[in-house]
Amino acid sequence: MNYKKIDATRISISELMQPSHSNFGGKIHGGYILNLMDQIAFACASKHSETYCVTASVDTVDFLNPIEIGDLVTMKASINFVGRTSMVVGIRVESENIRTGEIKHCNSSYFTMVAKDDQGNSVEVPGLIINDNTEVKRFLKAIKRTETKKNRKQEFDSEDFSHTNYLDDLKKYRVRVELPDTY
């Protein structure tokens, strides 16, 4: 198996946000940012795997700060984790007011990408060479996110899952449960 350093596949892109990218509130549309994030995730994963990649899942998309028309948006992507055929690409989104120089962290997200051959079959990806504590932390956090996701899926997909086990948990939310007696 061959291995690649994370630095070898890091990618950064910048784009000036224009009025055509805005939503009805005058801020940059979240869907446009997600599209750019998917593009950089694809580029980073394809650079690492040296093949075509598809998006398998997107984890933790939190829009922390709005992006304004005229801001320079910079996205930085790196491989945080590799499995046999999949890679987790970590993406950081920042916006810069080019008049004031103020930089805001707008989003961090994790895209799971799967390497494919020309027939659409999943193919093995190179391993990772981790060079510093930040890269180790990112790799371990990716493992923990995957474990949490699997555990949650097992719990909710289980044949013996019953909503009645969770009804008391709903008391802390703004919801009133009015189930028919036959339930």
Side-chain angles (χ1 to χ4, degrees):
M1 174 193 289
N2 65 349
Y3 291 82
K4 286 188 176 180
K5 291 183 180 182
I6 292 172
D7 286 343
T9 57
R10 276 189 216 281
I11 293 184
S12 178
I13 61 170
S14 295
E15 185 174 327
L16 187 64
M17 296 295 104
Q18 299 178 27
S20 61
H21 305 139
S22 66
N23 60 23
F24 294 113
K27 308 296 182 198
I28 300 306
H29 195 287
Y32 184 73
I33 297 301
L34 283 170
N35 179 47
L36 291 177
M37 292 170 72
D38 193 48
Q39 289 178 42
I40 195 172
F42 168 82
C44 184
S46 293
K47 190 174 180 184
H48 180 80
S49 65
E50 298 176 4
T51 189
Y52 181 76
C53 294
V54 296
T55 305
S57 70
V58 181
D59 194 12
T60 321
V61 180
D62 295 321
F63 293 98
L64 305 173
N65 287 296
I67 300 172
E68 307 290 336
I69 295 169
D71 282 357
L72 182 66
V73 168
T74 299
M75 296 187 182
K76 300 171 187 173
S78 64
I79 302 294
N80 288 2
F81 174 86
V82 294
R84 193 178 71 72
T85 62
S86 65
M87 300 149 280
V88 174
V89 178
I91 303 169
R92 181 178 174 93
V93 180
E94 297 176 337
S95 69
E96 179 181 0
N97 181 313
I98 56 178
R99 290 177 292 147
T100 67
E102 178 191 6
I103 296 175
K104 296 185 294 188
H105 176 208
C106 299
N107 187 332
S108 289
S109 191
Y110 308 96
F111 280 59
T112 300
M113 309 297 289
V114 177
K116 298 287 186 175
D117 64 16
D118 292 339
Q119 288 71 46
N121 301 309
S122 298
V123 295
E124 196 166 310
V125 300
L128 276 184
I129 299 171
I130 297 176
N131 285 322
D132 64 37
N133 287 332
T134 300
E135 292 174 356
V136 171
K137 234 188 280 188
R138 288 176 179 162
F139 193 90
L140 291 170
K141 285 181 177 181
I143 292 170
K144 287 295 179 191
R145 276 192 308 277
T146 301
E147 288 173 359
T148 300
K149 188 176 179 179
K150 281 182 185 173
N151 291 339
R152 188 176 57 237
K153 183 171 176 30
Q154 282 177 344
E155 177 184 6
F156 293 139
D157 289 352
S158 167
E159 296 236 354
D160 13 317
F161 177 84
S162 172
H163 69 281
T164 56
N165 296 338
Y166 297 90
L167 288 176
D168 284 342
D169 295 345
L170 295 177
K171 291 177 182 173
K172 60 185 170 192
Y173 297 97
R174 296 190 62 208
V175 63
R176 188 170 69 211
V177 178
E178 297 179 351
L179 297 175
D181 291 336
T182 60
Y183 220 92

Short mmCIF file of all heavy atoms in Angstrom, two decimals, residues 109-158:
data_model
loop_
_atom_site.label_atom_id
_atom_site.label_comp_id
_atom_site.label_asym_id
_atom_site.label_seq_id
_atom_site.Cartn_x
_atom_site.Cartn_y
_atom_site.Cartn_z
N SER A 109 -16.82 21.78 8.09
CA SER A 109 -17.65 20.64 7.76
C SER A 109 -16.77 19.47 7.35
O SER A 109 -15.58 19.64 7.07
CB SER A 109 -18.60 21.00 6.63
OG SER A 109 -19.57 20.00 6.48
N TYR A 110 -17.40 18.28 7.31
CA TYR A 110 -16.68 17.06 6.97
C TYR A 110 -17.45 16.31 5.90
O TYR A 110 -18.60 15.94 6.10
CB TYR A 110 -16.53 16.19 8.23
CG TYR A 110 -15.93 16.99 9.36
CD1 TYR A 110 -16.75 17.58 10.32
CD2 TYR A 110 -14.56 17.21 9.43
CE1 TYR A 110 -16.21 18.36 11.33
CE2 TYR A 110 -14.02 17.98 10.44
CZ TYR A 110 -14.85 18.55 11.38
OH TYR A 110 -14.32 19.33 12.37
N PHE A 111 -16.81 16.10 4.77
CA PHE A 111 -17.41 15.40 3.64
C PHE A 111 -16.75 14.02 3.54
O PHE A 111 -15.53 13.93 3.50
CB PHE A 111 -17.15 16.15 2.33
CG PHE A 111 -18.07 17.32 2.09
CD1 PHE A 111 -18.14 18.37 2.98
CD2 PHE A 111 -18.86 17.36 0.95
CE1 PHE A 111 -18.98 19.45 2.74
CE2 PHE A 111 -19.70 18.43 0.71
CZ PHE A 111 -19.77 19.48 1.61
N THR A 112 -17.57 12.98 3.51
CA THR A 112 -17.04 11.64 3.26
C THR A 112 -17.14 11.39 1.77
O THR A 112 -18.22 11.45 1.19
CB THR A 112 -17.82 10.57 4.05
OG1 THR A 112 -17.71 10.87 5.44
CG2 THR A 112 -17.26 9.18 3.77
N MET A 113 -15.99 11.13 1.18
CA MET A 113 -15.89 10.91 -0.26
C MET A 113 -15.43 9.48 -0.52
O MET A 113 -14.62 8.94 0.23
CB MET A 113 -14.88 11.89 -0.87
CG MET A 113 -15.10 13.36 -0.51
SD MET A 113 -16.66 14.04 -1.10
CE MET A 113 -16.35 14.13 -2.86
N VAL A 114 -15.96 8.88 -1.59
CA VAL A 114 -15.59 7.51 -1.96
C VAL A 114 -14.94 7.53 -3.33
O VAL A 114 -15.46 8.13 -4.27
CB VAL A 114 -16.82 6.58 -1.94
CG1 VAL A 114 -16.45 5.17 -2.39
CG2 VAL A 114 -17.45 6.54 -0.56
N ALA A 115 -13.79 6.85 -3.43
CA ALA A 115 -13.05 6.77 -4.69
C ALA A 115 -13.70 5.73 -5.60
O ALA A 115 -14.09 4.65 -5.15
CB ALA A 115 -11.59 6.39 -4.42
N LYS A 116 -13.81 6.07 -6.89
CA LYS A 116 -14.47 5.19 -7.87
C LYS A 116 -13.59 5.01 -9.10
O LYS A 116 -12.84 5.91 -9.48
CB LYS A 116 -15.81 5.80 -8.32
CG LYS A 116 -16.83 5.98 -7.21
CD LYS A 116 -17.40 4.67 -6.77
CE LYS A 116 -18.52 4.84 -5.77
NZ LYS A 116 -19.15 3.58 -5.45
N ASP A 117 -13.74 3.85 -9.74
CA ASP A 117 -13.07 3.65 -11.03
C ASP A 117 -14.03 4.05 -12.15
O ASP A 117 -15.15 4.51 -11.90
CB ASP A 117 -12.56 2.21 -11.19
CG ASP A 117 -13.66 1.16 -11.21
OD1 ASP A 117 -14.85 1.52 -11.42
OD2 ASP A 117 -13.34 -0.03 -11.01
N ASP A 118 -13.62 3.86 -13.39
CA ASP A 118 -14.43 4.28 -14.54
C ASP A 118 -15.74 3.50 -14.66
O ASP A 118 -16.66 3.96 -15.33
CB ASP A 118 -13.62 4.15 -15.84
CG ASP A 118 -12.49 5.15 -15.90
OD1 ASP A 118 -12.56 6.18 -15.18
OD2 ASP A 118 -11.53 4.91 -16.66
N GLN A 119 -15.83 2.35 -14.03
CA GLN A 119 -17.07 1.56 -14.07
C GLN A 119 -17.96 1.83 -12.86
O GLN A 119 -19.02 1.23 -12.70
CB GLN A 119 -16.74 0.05 -14.11
CG GLN A 119 -16.16 -0.43 -15.44
CD GLN A 119 -14.75 0.06 -15.67
OE1 GLN A 119 -13.91 0.00 -14.78
NE2 GLN A 119 -14.49 0.56 -16.86
N GLY A 120 -17.53 2.73 -12.00
CA GLY A 120 -18.33 3.08 -10.83
C GLY A 120 -18.10 2.20 -9.62
O GLY A 120 -18.82 2.30 -8.63
N ASN A 121 -17.09 1.35 -9.67
CA ASN A 121 -16.76 0.49 -8.53
C ASN A 121 -15.85 1.24 -7.56
O ASN A 121 -14.96 2.00 -7.98
CB ASN A 121 -16.04 -0.79 -8.99
CG ASN A 121 -16.89 -1.58 -9.95
OD1 ASN A 121 -18.05 -1.87 -9.67
ND2 ASN A 121 -16.33 -1.91 -11.12
N SER A 122 -16.05 1.02 -6.27
CA SER A 122 -15.19 1.64 -5.26
C SER A 122 -13.78 1.06 -5.37
O SER A 122 -13.61 -0.13 -5.60
CB SER A 122 -15.73 1.39 -3.86
OG SER A 122 -17.01 1.96 -3.73
N VAL A 123 -12.79 1.93 -5.22
CA VAL A 123 -11.39 1.50 -5.31
C VAL A 123 -10.63 1.94 -4.06
O VAL A 123 -10.98 2.91 -3.40
CB VAL A 123 -10.69 2.06 -6.58
CG1 VAL A 123 -11.32 1.49 -7.84
CG2 VAL A 123 -10.73 3.57 -6.61
N GLU A 124 -9.59 1.19 -3.75
CA GLU A 124 -8.77 1.45 -2.57
C GLU A 124 -8.02 2.78 -2.72
O GLU A 124 -7.57 3.13 -3.81
CB GLU A 124 -7.78 0.30 -2.38
CG GLU A 124 -7.17 0.29 -1.01
CD GLU A 124 -6.47 -1.03 -0.71
OE1 GLU A 124 -7.09 -2.09 -0.91
OE2 GLU A 124 -5.31 -0.97 -0.28
N VAL A 125 -7.90 3.49 -1.60
CA VAL A 125 -7.21 4.78 -1.59
C VAL A 125 -5.89 4.66 -0.84
O VAL A 125 -5.74 3.76 0.00
CB VAL A 125 -8.08 5.90 -0.96
CG1 VAL A 125 -9.38 6.07 -1.74
CG2 VAL A 125 -8.36 5.64 0.50
N PRO A 126 -4.93 5.55 -1.13
CA PRO A 126 -3.67 5.52 -0.38
C PRO A 126 -3.90 5.80 1.10
O PRO A 126 -4.84 6.51 1.48
CB PRO A 126 -2.86 6.65 -1.01
CG PRO A 126 -3.47 6.87 -2.36
CD PRO A 126 -4.92 6.55 -2.20
N GLY A 127 -3.02 5.27 1.93
CA GLY A 127 -3.05 5.57 3.36
C GLY A 127 -2.55 6.97 3.62
O GLY A 127 -2.14 7.69 2.70
N LEU A 128 -2.56 7.37 4.88
CA LEU A 128 -2.13 8.71 5.27
C LEU A 128 -0.84 8.67 6.06
O LEU A 128 -0.64 7.78 6.89
CB LEU A 128 -3.18 9.38 6.17
CG LEU A 128 -4.36 10.08 5.53
CD1 LEU A 128 -5.20 10.75 6.61
CD2 LEU A 128 -3.94 11.08 4.50
N ILE A 129 0.00 9.65 5.83
CA ILE A 129 1.15 9.91 6.68
C ILE A 129 0.80 11.14 7.50
O ILE A 129 0.55 12.21 6.94
CB ILE A 129 2.43 10.15 5.86
CG1 ILE A 129 2.76 8.91 5.02
CG2 ILE A 129 3.59 10.54 6.78
CD1 ILE A 129 3.88 9.11 4.02
N ILE A 130 0.74 10.96 8.81
CA ILE A 130 0.36 12.05 9.72
C ILE A 130 1.63 12.66 10.30
O ILE A 130 2.47 11.94 10.83
CB ILE A 130 -0.58 11.51 10.82
CG1 ILE A 130 -1.87 10.99 10.18
CG2 ILE A 130 -0.87 12.58 11.85
CD1 ILE A 130 -2.84 10.36 11.14
N ASN A 131 1.73 14.01 10.19
CA ASN A 131 2.97 14.70 10.55
C ASN A 131 2.95 15.51 11.82
O ASN A 131 3.99 15.94 12.28
CB ASN A 131 3.38 15.66 9.42
CG ASN A 131 3.95 14.93 8.24
OD1 ASN A 131 4.67 13.96 8.40
ND2 ASN A 131 3.64 15.38 7.04
N ASP A 132 1.78 15.83 12.36
CA ASP A 132 1.76 16.68 13.54
C ASP A 132 0.54 16.38 14.42
O ASP A 132 -0.34 15.61 14.04
CB ASP A 132 1.82 18.17 13.18
CG ASP A 132 0.62 18.66 12.38
OD1 ASP A 132 -0.52 18.21 12.65
OD2 ASP A 132 0.81 19.52 11.49
N ASN A 133 0.51 16.98 15.60
CA ASN A 133 -0.55 16.71 16.57
C ASN A 133 -1.93 17.10 16.05
O ASN A 133 -2.91 16.43 16.36
CB ASN A 133 -0.26 17.42 17.89
CG ASN A 133 0.87 16.75 18.64
OD1 ASN A 133 1.10 15.55 18.49
ND2 ASN A 133 1.59 17.50 19.44
N THR A 134 -2.02 18.17 15.28
CA THR A 134 -3.31 18.59 14.72
C THR A 134 -3.86 17.52 13.79
O THR A 134 -5.04 17.19 13.83
CB THR A 134 -3.17 19.94 13.98
OG1 THR A 134 -2.71 20.92 14.90
CG2 THR A 134 -4.48 20.38 13.37
N GLU A 135 -3.01 16.96 12.96
CA GLU A 135 -3.43 15.91 12.04
C GLU A 135 -3.86 14.64 12.79
O GLU A 135 -4.83 13.98 12.41
CB GLU A 135 -2.32 15.60 11.03
CG GLU A 135 -2.06 16.75 10.07
CD GLU A 135 -0.87 16.54 9.16
OE1 GLU A 135 -0.17 15.51 9.31
OE2 GLU A 135 -0.63 17.40 8.30
N VAL A 136 -3.16 14.31 13.87
CA VAL A 136 -3.55 13.16 14.70
C VAL A 136 -4.92 13.41 15.30
O VAL A 136 -5.81 12.54 15.28
CB VAL A 136 -2.51 12.89 15.82
CG1 VAL A 136 -3.03 11.85 16.81
CG2 VAL A 136 -1.18 12.45 15.23
N LYS A 137 -5.14 14.62 15.84
CA LYS A 137 -6.42 14.98 16.45
C LYS A 137 -7.55 14.88 15.43
O LYS A 137 -8.61 14.34 15.73
CB LYS A 137 -6.34 16.42 16.98
CG LYS A 137 -6.73 16.56 18.43
CD LYS A 137 -6.83 18.00 18.85
CE LYS A 137 -5.48 18.57 19.12
NZ LYS A 137 -5.54 19.91 19.70
N ARG A 138 -7.33 15.40 14.23
CA ARG A 138 -8.36 15.35 13.19
C ARG A 138 -8.69 13.91 12.81
O ARG A 138 -9.85 13.57 12.59
CB ARG A 138 -7.91 16.14 11.96
CG ARG A 138 -7.93 17.64 12.19
CD ARG A 138 -7.39 18.38 10.99
NE ARG A 138 -7.43 19.82 11.22
CZ ARG A 138 -6.74 20.70 10.53
NH1 ARG A 138 -5.95 20.30 9.54
NH2 ARG A 138 -6.84 21.98 10.80
N PHE A 139 -7.67 13.06 12.71
CA PHE A 139 -7.88 11.66 12.37
C PHE A 139 -8.71 10.98 13.46
O PHE A 139 -9.69 10.28 13.17
CB PHE A 139 -6.52 10.96 12.21
CG PHE A 139 -6.60 9.61 11.56
CD1 PHE A 139 -6.51 9.47 10.18
CD2 PHE A 139 -6.76 8.45 12.32
CE1 PHE A 139 -6.59 8.22 9.57
CE2 PHE A 139 -6.83 7.20 11.73
CZ PHE A 139 -6.75 7.08 10.35
N LEU A 140 -8.35 11.19 14.73
CA LEU A 140 -9.07 10.58 15.84
C LEU A 140 -10.50 11.10 15.94
O LEU A 140 -11.43 10.33 16.21
CB LEU A 140 -8.32 10.82 17.16
CG LEU A 140 -7.00 10.06 17.29
CD1 LEU A 140 -6.23 10.55 18.50
CD2 LEU A 140 -7.23 8.56 17.36
N LYS A 141 -10.70 12.39 15.72
CA LYS A 141 -12.06 12.95 15.76
C LYS A 141 -12.93 12.35 14.65
O LYS A 141 -14.12 12.12 14.85
CB LYS A 141 -12.02 14.47 15.64
CG LYS A 141 -11.58 15.15 16.92
CD LYS A 141 -11.59 16.67 16.74
CE LYS A 141 -11.22 17.38 18.01
NZ LYS A 141 -11.26 18.86 17.85
N ALA A 142 -12.34 12.10 13.49
CA ALA A 142 -13.09 11.47 12.40
C ALA A 142 -13.54 10.07 12.80
O ALA A 142 -14.67 9.66 12.51
CB ALA A 142 -12.24 11.43 11.12
N ILE A 143 -12.66 9.33 13.48
CA ILE A 143 -13.03 8.00 13.96
C ILE A 143 -14.19 8.10 14.94
O ILE A 143 -15.16 7.34 14.86
CB ILE A 143 -11.82 7.30 14.62
CG1 ILE A 143 -10.76 6.97 13.57
CG2 ILE A 143 -12.27 6.03 15.36
CD1 ILE A 143 -9.44 6.50 14.15
N LYS A 144 -14.12 9.05 15.87
CA LYS A 144 -15.18 9.22 16.88
C LYS A 144 -16.51 9.61 16.23
O LYS A 144 -17.56 9.11 16.62
CB LYS A 144 -14.78 10.26 17.93
CG LYS A 144 -13.71 9.77 18.87
CD LYS A 144 -14.25 8.62 19.68
CE LYS A 144 -13.24 8.07 20.63
NZ LYS A 144 -13.66 6.81 21.24
N ARG A 145 -16.48 10.52 15.23
CA ARG A 145 -17.71 10.90 14.54
C ARG A 145 -18.33 9.69 13.84
O ARG A 145 -19.54 9.50 13.89
CB ARG A 145 -17.44 12.01 13.51
CG ARG A 145 -17.45 13.41 14.08
CD ARG A 145 -17.47 14.47 12.99
NE ARG A 145 -16.43 14.31 11.99
CZ ARG A 145 -15.17 14.72 12.12
NH1 ARG A 145 -14.80 15.35 13.21
NH2 ARG A 145 -14.30 14.53 11.16
N THR A 146 -17.50 8.84 13.24
CA THR A 146 -17.99 7.64 12.56
C THR A 146 -18.61 6.67 13.56
O THR A 146 -19.69 6.12 13.30
CB THR A 146 -16.84 6.95 11.79
OG1 THR A 146 -16.30 7.88 10.85
CG2 THR A 146 -17.31 5.71 11.07
N GLU A 147 -17.96 6.47 14.70
CA GLU A 147 -18.50 5.57 15.73
C GLU A 147 -19.83 6.09 16.25
O GLU A 147 -20.78 5.32 16.42
CB GLU A 147 -17.50 5.43 16.88
CG GLU A 147 -16.29 4.60 16.55
CD GLU A 147 -15.23 4.62 17.66
OE1 GLU A 147 -15.42 5.29 18.69
OE2 GLU A 147 -14.21 3.94 17.47
N THR A 148 -19.92 7.39 16.52
CA THR A 148 -21.15 7.99 17.02
C THR A 148 -22.28 7.81 16.01
O THR A 148 -23.40 7.46 16.37
CB THR A 148 -20.94 9.49 17.32
OG1 THR A 148 -19.92 9.61 18.31
CG2 THR A 148 -22.21 10.15 17.80
N LYS A 149 -21.97 8.03 14.73
CA LYS A 149 -22.97 7.89 13.67
C LYS A 149 -23.46 6.44 13.58
O LYS A 149 -24.67 6.19 13.47
CB LYS A 149 -22.34 8.33 12.35
CG LYS A 149 -23.28 8.43 11.19
CD LYS A 149 -22.53 8.98 9.99
CE LYS A 149 -23.40 9.10 8.79
NZ LYS A 149 -22.67 9.66 7.64
N LYS A 150 -22.55 5.47 13.67
CA LYS A 150 -22.93 4.05 13.62
C LYS A 150 -23.81 3.68 14.81
O LYS A 150 -24.81 2.98 14.65
CB LYS A 150 -21.68 3.16 13.60
CG LYS A 150 -21.02 3.06 12.26
CD LYS A 150 -19.82 2.13 12.31
CE LYS A 150 -19.10 2.13 10.99
NZ LYS A 150 -17.83 1.38 11.04
N ASN A 151 -23.42 4.13 16.00
CA ASN A 151 -24.21 3.83 17.20
C ASN A 151 -25.61 4.41 17.11
O ASN A 151 -26.59 3.76 17.48
CB ASN A 151 -23.51 4.34 18.46
CG ASN A 151 -22.25 3.56 18.77
OD1 ASN A 151 -22.08 2.43 18.32
ND2 ASN A 151 -21.36 4.16 19.52
N ARG A 152 -25.72 5.64 16.63
CA ARG A 152 -27.02 6.29 16.48
C ARG A 152 -27.87 5.53 15.47
O ARG A 152 -29.05 5.29 15.69
CB ARG A 152 -26.83 7.75 16.07
CG ARG A 152 -28.10 8.56 16.06
CD ARG A 152 -27.85 10.03 15.74
NE ARG A 152 -27.18 10.20 14.46
CZ ARG A 152 -26.02 10.83 14.29
NH1 ARG A 152 -25.39 11.35 15.30
NH2 ARG A 152 -25.50 10.94 13.09
N LYS A 153 -27.27 5.14 14.37
CA LYS A 153 -28.00 4.40 13.33
C LYS A 153 -28.49 3.06 13.88
O LYS A 153 -29.64 2.67 13.66
CB LYS A 153 -27.12 4.20 12.10
CG LYS A 153 -27.83 3.50 10.96
CD LYS A 153 -27.01 3.53 9.70
CE LYS A 153 -27.59 2.77 8.55
NZ LYS A 153 -29.01 2.66 8.43
N GLN A 154 -27.63 2.34 14.62
CA GLN A 154 -28.02 1.06 15.21
C GLN A 154 -29.20 1.24 16.16
O GLN A 154 -30.15 0.46 16.15
CB GLN A 154 -26.86 0.43 15.97
CG GLN A 154 -25.84 -0.23 15.08
CD GLN A 154 -24.67 -0.78 15.88
OE1 GLN A 154 -24.45 -0.45 17.03
NE2 GLN A 154 -23.88 -1.63 15.23
N GLU A 155 -29.15 2.28 16.99
CA GLU A 155 -30.22 2.51 17.96
C GLU A 155 -31.54 2.80 17.25
O GLU A 155 -32.57 2.21 17.56
CB GLU A 155 -29.86 3.69 18.86
CG GLU A 155 -30.95 4.04 19.86
CD GLU A 155 -30.61 5.27 20.70
OE1 GLU A 155 -29.58 5.92 20.44
OE2 GLU A 155 -31.41 5.57 21.59
N PHE A 156 -31.52 3.69 16.28
CA PHE A 156 -32.76 4.11 15.63
C PHE A 156 -33.28 3.13 14.59
O PHE A 156 -34.47 3.11 14.30
CB PHE A 156 -32.61 5.50 15.03
CG PHE A 156 -32.42 6.58 16.06
CD1 PHE A 156 -31.51 7.59 15.86
CD2 PHE A 156 -33.15 6.58 17.24
CE1 PHE A 156 -31.34 8.58 16.81
CE2 PHE A 156 -33.00 7.56 18.20
CZ PHE A 156 -32.08 8.57 17.98
N ASP A 157 -32.41 2.30 14.04
CA ASP A 157 -32.84 1.31 13.05
C ASP A 157 -33.19 -0.04 13.68
O ASP A 157 -33.66 -0.94 12.99
CB ASP A 157 -31.76 1.09 11.98
CG ASP A 157 -31.61 2.29 11.07
OD1 ASP A 157 -32.43 3.22 11.16
OD2 ASP A 157 -30.65 2.31 10.27
N SER A 158 -32.96 -0.18 14.96
CA SER A 158 -33.21 -1.44 15.66
C SER A 158 -34.68 -1.81 15.57
O SER A 158 -35.56 -0.96 15.65
CB SER A 158 -32.80 -1.30 17.12
OG SER A 158 -33.29 -2.39 17.87
#
